[in-house]
PDB file of all heavy atoms in Angstrom:
ATOM      1  N   ASN L   1       0.819  -1.213   0.004  1.00 98.00           N
ATOM      2  CA  ASN L   1       0.003   0.010   0.009  1.00 98.00           C
ATOM      3  C   ASN L   1       0.855   1.259   0.016  1.00 98.00           C
ATOM      4  O   ASN L   1       0.638   2.196   0.778  1.00 98.00           O
ATOM      5  CB  ASN L   1      -0.944   0.002   1.208  1.00 98.00           C
ATOM      6  CG  ASN L   1      -1.835  -1.215   1.263  1.00 98.00           C
ATOM      7  OD1 ASN L   1      -1.867  -1.944   2.243  1.00 98.00           O
ATOM      8  ND2 ASN L   1      -2.591  -1.440   0.189  1.00 98.00           N
ATOM      9  N   LEU L   2       1.814   1.292  -0.901  1.00 98.00           N
ATOM     10  CA  LEU L   2       2.750   2.390  -0.934  1.00 98.00           C
ATOM     11  C   LEU L   2       2.055   3.710  -1.279  1.00 98.00           C
ATOM     12  O   LEU L   2       1.112   3.760  -2.068  1.00 98.00           O
ATOM     13  CB  LEU L   2       3.849   2.096  -1.941  1.00 98.00           C
ATOM     14  CG  LEU L   2       4.898   1.087  -1.445  1.00 98.00           C
ATOM     15  CD1 LEU L   2       5.666   0.498  -2.602  1.00 98.00           C
ATOM     16  CD2 LEU L   2       5.836   1.794  -0.476  1.00 98.00           C
ATOM     17  N   LYS L   3       2.577   4.758  -0.682  1.00 98.00           N
ATOM     18  CA  LYS L   3       2.046   6.124  -0.849  1.00 98.00           C
ATOM     19  C   LYS L   3       3.128   7.016  -1.441  1.00 98.00           C
ATOM     20  O   LYS L   3       4.306   6.738  -1.302  1.00 98.00           O
ATOM     21  CB  LYS L   3       1.601   6.704   0.501  1.00 98.00           C
ATOM     22  CG  LYS L   3       0.559   5.868   1.217  1.00 98.00           C
ATOM     23  CD  LYS L   3       0.240   6.456   2.571  1.00 98.00           C
ATOM     24  CE  LYS L   3      -0.824   5.624   3.298  1.00 98.00           C
ATOM     25  NZ  LYS L   3      -1.122   6.213   4.630  1.00 98.00           N
ATOM     26  N   PRO L   4       2.733   8.107  -2.079  1.00 98.00           N
ATOM     27  CA  PRO L   4       3.741   9.015  -2.637  1.00 98.00           C
ATOM     28  C   PRO L   4       4.757   9.498  -1.604  1.00 98.00           C
ATOM     29  O   PRO L   4       5.928   9.687  -1.944  1.00 98.00           O
ATOM     30  CB  PRO L   4       2.885  10.180  -3.169  1.00 98.00           C
ATOM     31  CG  PRO L   4       1.594   9.538  -3.540  1.00 98.00           C
ATOM     32  CD  PRO L   4       1.359   8.507  -2.472  1.00 98.00           C
ATOM     33  N   GLU L   5       4.340   9.696  -0.360  1.00 97.00           N
ATOM     34  CA  GLU L   5       5.259  10.148   0.658  1.00 97.00           C
ATOM     35  C   GLU L   5       6.294   9.092   1.044  1.00 97.00           C
ATOM     36  O   GLU L   5       7.259   9.402   1.764  1.00 97.00           O
ATOM     37  CB  GLU L   5       4.520  10.619   1.911  1.00 97.00           C
ATOM     38  CG  GLU L   5       3.504   9.616   2.438  1.00 97.00           C
ATOM     39  CD  GLU L   5       2.100   9.908   1.984  1.00 97.00           C
ATOM     40  OE1 GLU L   5       1.899  10.180   0.792  1.00 97.00           O
ATOM     41  OE2 GLU L   5       1.185   9.835   2.832  1.00 97.00           O
ATOM     42  N   ASP L   6       6.137   7.854   0.578  1.00 98.00           N
ATOM     43  CA  ASP L   6       7.130   6.817   0.797  1.00 98.00           C
ATOM     44  C   ASP L   6       8.308   6.979  -0.142  1.00 98.00           C
ATOM     45  O   ASP L   6       9.329   6.281   0.032  1.00 98.00           O
ATOM     46  CB  ASP L   6       6.533   5.427   0.625  1.00 98.00           C
ATOM     47  CG  ASP L   6       5.457   5.130   1.656  1.00 98.00           C
ATOM     48  OD1 ASP L   6       5.626   5.497   2.832  1.00 98.00           O
ATOM     49  OD2 ASP L   6       4.449   4.485   1.275  1.00 98.00           O
ATOM     50  N   THR L   7       8.168   7.825  -1.126  1.00 98.00           N
ATOM     51  CA  THR L   7       9.232   8.041  -2.113  1.00 98.00           C
ATOM     52  C   THR L   7      10.516   8.487  -1.442  1.00 98.00           C
ATOM     53  O   THR L   7      10.511   9.302  -0.501  1.00 98.00           O
ATOM     54  CB  THR L   7       8.806   9.074  -3.144  1.00 98.00           C
ATOM     55  OG1 THR L   7       7.734   8.543  -3.933  1.00 98.00           O
ATOM     56  CG2 THR L   7       9.940   9.474  -4.062  1.00 98.00           C
ATOM     57  N   GLY L   8      11.637   7.971  -1.890  1.00 98.00           N
ATOM     58  CA  GLY L   8      12.927   8.382  -1.374  1.00 98.00           C
ATOM     59  C   GLY L   8      13.922   7.233  -1.429  1.00 98.00           C
ATOM     60  O   GLY L   8      13.677   6.180  -2.016  1.00 98.00           O
ATOM     61  N   VAL L   9      15.032   7.474  -0.777  1.00 97.00           N
ATOM     62  CA  VAL L   9      16.108   6.479  -0.744  1.00 97.00           C
ATOM     63  C   VAL L   9      16.014   5.705   0.559  1.00 97.00           C
ATOM     64  O   VAL L   9      15.916   6.281   1.629  1.00 97.00           O
ATOM     65  CB  VAL L   9      17.494   7.153  -0.865  1.00 97.00           C
ATOM     66  CG1 VAL L   9      18.592   6.113  -0.705  1.00 97.00           C
ATOM     67  CG2 VAL L   9      17.610   7.874  -2.190  1.00 97.00           C
ATOM     68  N   TYR L  10      16.031   4.393   0.438  1.00 98.00           N
ATOM     69  CA  TYR L  10      16.014   3.506   1.603  1.00 98.00           C
ATOM     70  C   TYR L  10      17.365   2.858   1.789  1.00 98.00           C
ATOM     71  O   TYR L  10      17.931   2.294   0.866  1.00 98.00           O
ATOM     72  CB  TYR L  10      14.923   2.437   1.424  1.00 98.00           C
ATOM     73  CG  TYR L  10      13.528   2.992   1.569  1.00 98.00           C
ATOM     74  CD1 TYR L  10      12.936   3.675   0.535  1.00 98.00           C
ATOM     75  CD2 TYR L  10      12.813   2.826   2.774  1.00 98.00           C
ATOM     76  CE1 TYR L  10      11.647   4.222   0.658  1.00 98.00           C
ATOM     77  CE2 TYR L  10      11.531   3.350   2.911  1.00 98.00           C
ATOM     78  CZ  TYR L  10      10.971   4.047   1.851  1.00 98.00           C
ATOM     79  OH  TYR L  10       9.698   4.557   2.015  1.00 98.00           O
ATOM     80  N   SER L  11      17.862   2.927   3.007  1.00 96.00           N
ATOM     81  CA  SER L  11      19.135   2.326   3.331  1.00 96.00           C
ATOM     82  C   SER L  11      19.007   1.524   4.605  1.00 96.00           C
ATOM     83  O   SER L  11      18.001   1.635   5.324  1.00 96.00           O
ATOM     84  CB  SER L  11      20.232   3.397   3.483  1.00 96.00           C
ATOM     85  OG  SER L  11      19.881   4.347   4.462  1.00 96.00           O
ATOM     86  N   CYS L  12      19.971   0.696   4.861  1.00 95.00           N
ATOM     87  CA  CYS L  12      19.899  -0.172   6.036  1.00 95.00           C
ATOM     88  C   CYS L  12      21.235  -0.213   6.766  1.00 95.00           C
ATOM     89  O   CYS L  12      22.270   0.100   6.173  1.00 95.00           O
ATOM     90  CB  CYS L  12      19.438  -1.591   5.662  1.00 95.00           C
ATOM     91  SG  CYS L  12      20.501  -2.407   4.452  1.00 95.00           S
ATOM     92  N   GLY L  13      21.187  -0.570   8.022  1.00 93.00           N
ATOM     93  CA  GLY L  13      22.401  -0.676   8.801  1.00 93.00           C
ATOM     94  C   GLY L  13      22.112  -1.196  10.187  1.00 93.00           C
ATOM     95  O   GLY L  13      20.968  -1.196  10.656  1.00 93.00           O
ATOM     96  N   ALA L  14      23.150  -1.610  10.859  1.00 93.00           N
ATOM     97  CA  ALA L  14      23.028  -2.063  12.259  1.00 93.00           C
ATOM     98  C   ALA L  14      22.650  -0.864  13.115  1.00 93.00           C
ATOM     99  O   ALA L  14      23.191   0.230  12.962  1.00 93.00           O
ATOM    100  CB  ALA L  14      24.320  -2.671  12.754  1.00 93.00           C
ATOM    101  N   THR L  15      21.714  -1.070  14.029  1.00 94.00           N
ATOM    102  CA  THR L  15      21.235   0.017  14.862  1.00 94.00           C
ATOM    103  C   THR L  15      20.622  -0.550  16.130  1.00 94.00           C
ATOM    104  O   THR L  15      20.414  -1.750  16.245  1.00 94.00           O
ATOM    105  CB  THR L  15      20.216   0.875  14.093  1.00 94.00           C
ATOM    106  OG1 THR L  15      19.939   2.083  14.815  1.00 94.00           O
ATOM    107  CG2 THR L  15      18.918   0.102  13.873  1.00 94.00           C
ATOM    108  N   SER L  16      20.323   0.309  17.075  1.00 94.00           N
ATOM    109  CA  SER L  16      19.586  -0.133  18.234  1.00 94.00           C
ATOM    110  C   SER L  16      18.138  -0.375  17.859  1.00 94.00           C
ATOM    111  O   SER L  16      17.607   0.292  16.954  1.00 94.00           O
ATOM    112  CB  SER L  16      19.697   0.914  19.366  1.00 94.00           C
ATOM    113  OG  SER L  16      19.149   2.149  18.969  1.00 94.00           O
ATOM    114  N   CYS L  17      17.505  -1.293  18.547  1.00 95.00           N
ATOM    115  CA  CYS L  17      16.136  -1.653  18.183  1.00 95.00           C
ATOM    116  C   CYS L  17      15.401  -2.236  19.374  1.00 95.00           C
ATOM    117  O   CYS L  17      15.790  -3.273  19.897  1.00 95.00           O
ATOM    118  CB  CYS L  17      16.190  -2.664  17.017  1.00 95.00           C
ATOM    119  SG  CYS L  17      14.558  -3.113  16.323  1.00 95.00           S
ATOM    120  N   THR L  18      14.337  -1.568  19.758  1.00 90.00           N
ATOM    121  CA  THR L  18      13.445  -2.065  20.781  1.00 90.00           C
ATOM    122  C   THR L  18      12.040  -2.035  20.239  1.00 90.00           C
ATOM    123  O   THR L  18      11.792  -1.524  19.154  1.00 90.00           O
ATOM    124  CB  THR L  18      13.527  -1.231  22.079  1.00 90.00           C
ATOM    125  OG1 THR L  18      12.950   0.062  21.830  1.00 90.00           O
ATOM    126  CG2 THR L  18      14.963  -1.076  22.536  1.00 90.00           C
ATOM    127  N   GLY L  19      11.099  -2.543  20.999  1.00 83.00           N
ATOM    128  CA  GLY L  19       9.730  -2.508  20.550  1.00 83.00           C
ATOM    129  C   GLY L  19       9.148  -1.110  20.453  1.00 83.00           C
ATOM    130  O   GLY L  19       8.185  -0.904  19.724  1.00 83.00           O
ATOM    131  N   GLY L  20       9.748  -0.152  21.150  1.00 86.00           N
ATOM    132  CA  GLY L  20       9.223   1.198  21.169  1.00 86.00           C
ATOM    133  C   GLY L  20      10.056   2.256  20.484  1.00 86.00           C
ATOM    134  O   GLY L  20       9.631   3.403  20.375  1.00 86.00           O
ATOM    135  N   ALA L  21      11.252   1.870  20.007  1.00 90.00           N
ATOM    136  CA  ALA L  21      12.124   2.866  19.400  1.00 90.00           C
ATOM    137  C   ALA L  21      13.228   2.189  18.612  1.00 90.00           C
ATOM    138  O   ALA L  21      13.527   1.013  18.805  1.00 90.00           O
ATOM    139  CB  ALA L  21      12.729   3.790  20.469  1.00 90.00           C
ATOM    140  N   MET L  22      13.843   2.954  17.744  1.00 93.00           N
ATOM    141  CA  MET L  22      15.003   2.473  16.991  1.00 93.00           C
ATOM    142  C   MET L  22      16.030   3.617  16.935  1.00 93.00           C
ATOM    143  O   MET L  22      15.723   4.767  17.190  1.00 93.00           O
ATOM    144  CB  MET L  22      14.639   1.987  15.604  1.00 93.00           C
ATOM    145  CG  MET L  22      14.123   3.076  14.672  1.00 93.00           C
ATOM    146  SD  MET L  22      13.774   2.442  12.994  1.00 93.00           S
ATOM    147  CE  MET L  22      15.453   2.109  12.399  1.00 93.00           C
ATOM    148  N   GLY L  23      17.233   3.244  16.557  1.00 91.00           N
ATOM    149  CA  GLY L  23      18.278   4.244  16.456  1.00 91.00           C
ATOM    150  C   GLY L  23      18.018   5.227  15.343  1.00 91.00           C
ATOM    151  O   GLY L  23      17.259   4.962  14.388  1.00 91.00           O
ATOM    152  N   ARG L  24      18.625   6.407  15.462  1.00 89.00           N
ATOM    153  CA  ARG L  24      18.444   7.450  14.465  1.00 89.00           C
ATOM    154  C   ARG L  24      19.318   7.207  13.240  1.00 89.00           C
ATOM    155  O   ARG L  24      19.119   7.877  12.219  1.00 89.00           O
ATOM    156  CB  ARG L  24      18.768   8.825  15.056  1.00 89.00           C
ATOM    157  CG  ARG L  24      17.820   9.236  16.180  1.00 89.00           C
ATOM    158  CD  ARG L  24      18.055  10.684  16.573  1.00 89.00           C
ATOM    159  NE  ARG L  24      19.408  10.939  17.039  1.00 89.00           N
ATOM    160  CZ  ARG L  24      19.817  10.744  18.294  1.00 89.00           C
ATOM    161  NH1 ARG L  24      18.966  10.318  19.206  1.00 89.00           N
ATOM    162  NH2 ARG L  24      21.079  10.993  18.610  1.00 89.00           N
ATOM    163  N   GLY L  25      20.256   6.320  13.343  1.00 87.00           N
ATOM    164  CA  GLY L  25      21.128   6.007  12.225  1.00 87.00           C
ATOM    165  C   GLY L  25      21.891   4.727  12.502  1.00 87.00           C
ATOM    166  O   GLY L  25      21.783   4.141  13.579  1.00 87.00           O
ATOM    167  N   PRO L  26      22.669   4.268  11.552  1.00 86.00           N
ATOM    168  CA  PRO L  26      23.450   3.053  11.763  1.00 86.00           C
ATOM    169  C   PRO L  26      24.624   3.306  12.681  1.00 86.00           C
ATOM    170  O   PRO L  26      25.080   4.437  12.843  1.00 86.00           O
ATOM    171  CB  PRO L  26      23.909   2.707  10.344  1.00 86.00           C
ATOM    172  CG  PRO L  26      24.024   4.030   9.665  1.00 86.00           C
ATOM    173  CD  PRO L  26      22.871   4.847  10.203  1.00 86.00           C
ATOM    174  N   PHE L  27      25.107   2.244  13.294  1.00 87.00           N
ATOM    175  CA  PHE L  27      26.278   2.352  14.151  1.00 87.00           C
ATOM    176  C   PHE L  27      27.514   2.745  13.335  1.00 87.00           C
ATOM    177  O   PHE L  27      28.368   3.477  13.812  1.00 87.00           O
ATOM    178  CB  PHE L  27      26.524   1.041  14.899  1.00 87.00           C
ATOM    179  CG  PHE L  27      25.495   0.711  15.916  1.00 87.00           C
ATOM    180  CD1 PHE L  27      24.973  -0.589  16.002  1.00 87.00           C
ATOM    181  CD2 PHE L  27      25.035   1.646  16.817  1.00 87.00           C
ATOM    182  CE1 PHE L  27      24.024  -0.913  16.951  1.00 87.00           C
ATOM    183  CE2 PHE L  27      24.081   1.359  17.767  1.00 87.00           C
ATOM    184  CZ  PHE L  27      23.579   0.057  17.838  1.00 87.00           C
ATOM    185  N   GLY L  28      27.615   2.246  12.134  1.00 81.00           N
ATOM    186  CA  GLY L  28      28.714   2.560  11.267  1.00 81.00           C
ATOM    187  C   GLY L  28      28.353   3.643  10.279  1.00 81.00           C
ATOM    188  O   GLY L  28      27.444   4.452  10.500  1.00 81.00           O
ATOM    189  N   SER L  29      29.059   3.659   9.183  1.00 79.00           N
ATOM    190  CA  SER L  29      28.771   4.652   8.154  1.00 79.00           C
ATOM    191  C   SER L  29      27.534   4.274   7.340  1.00 79.00           C
ATOM    192  O   SER L  29      27.099   3.116   7.343  1.00 79.00           O
ATOM    193  CB  SER L  29      29.985   4.767   7.193  1.00 79.00           C
ATOM    194  OG  SER L  29      30.250   3.533   6.560  1.00 79.00           O
ATOM    195  N   TRP L  30      26.957   5.298   6.716  1.00 78.00           N
ATOM    196  CA  TRP L  30      25.796   5.040   5.867  1.00 78.00           C
ATOM    197  C   TRP L  30      26.181   4.236   4.645  1.00 78.00           C
ATOM    198  O   TRP L  30      27.171   4.537   3.970  1.00 78.00           O
ATOM    199  CB  TRP L  30      25.158   6.367   5.441  1.00 78.00           C
ATOM    200  CG  TRP L  30      24.497   7.134   6.550  1.00 78.00           C
ATOM    201  CD1 TRP L  30      25.032   8.163   7.251  1.00 78.00           C
ATOM    202  CD2 TRP L  30      23.209   6.886   7.106  1.00 78.00           C
ATOM    203  NE1 TRP L  30      24.136   8.604   8.213  1.00 78.00           N
ATOM    204  CE2 TRP L  30      23.019   7.841   8.125  1.00 78.00           C
ATOM    205  CE3 TRP L  30      22.189   6.001   6.810  1.00 78.00           C
ATOM    206  CZ2 TRP L  30      21.839   7.924   8.864  1.00 78.00           C
ATOM    207  CZ3 TRP L  30      21.010   6.043   7.546  1.00 78.00           C
ATOM    208  CH2 TRP L  30      20.844   7.014   8.570  1.00 78.00           C
ATOM    209  N   GLY L  31      25.397   3.234   4.342  1.00 80.00           N
ATOM    210  CA  GLY L  31      25.627   2.472   3.135  1.00 80.00           C
ATOM    211  C   GLY L  31      24.850   3.037   1.967  1.00 80.00           C
ATOM    212  O   GLY L  31      24.018   3.932   2.110  1.00 80.00           O
ATOM    213  N   GLN L  32      25.129   2.533   0.805  1.00 87.00           N
ATOM    214  CA  GLN L  32      24.402   2.964  -0.379  1.00 87.00           C
ATOM    215  C   GLN L  32      22.960   2.457  -0.320  1.00 87.00           C
ATOM    216  O   GLN L  32      22.709   1.295  -0.042  1.00 87.00           O
ATOM    217  CB  GLN L  32      25.086   2.427  -1.632  1.00 87.00           C
ATOM    218  CG  GLN L  32      24.444   2.895  -2.924  1.00 87.00           C
ATOM    219  CD  GLN L  32      25.175   2.403  -4.149  1.00 87.00           C
ATOM    220  OE1 GLN L  32      26.131   1.651  -4.045  1.00 87.00           O
ATOM    221  NE2 GLN L  32      24.727   2.815  -5.309  1.00 87.00           N
TER     222      GLN L  32
END
């Protein structure tokens, strides 16, 4: 059910992750 506001670049990386929050960025450098 993608929406126009979903448009953009998606990247992934190791980060903190709980049921209520996640990290603001990866622990390392940003990947492509």
Side-chain angles (χ1 to χ4, degrees):
N1 303 123
L2 283 161
K3 302 176 179 180
E5 52 262 44
D6 296 321
T7 292
V9 176
Y10 287 78
S11 57
C12 58
T15 190
S16 60
C17 185
T18 69
M22 66 177 290
R24 296 189 301 274
F27 292 135
S29 61
W30 291 99
Q32 184 177 4

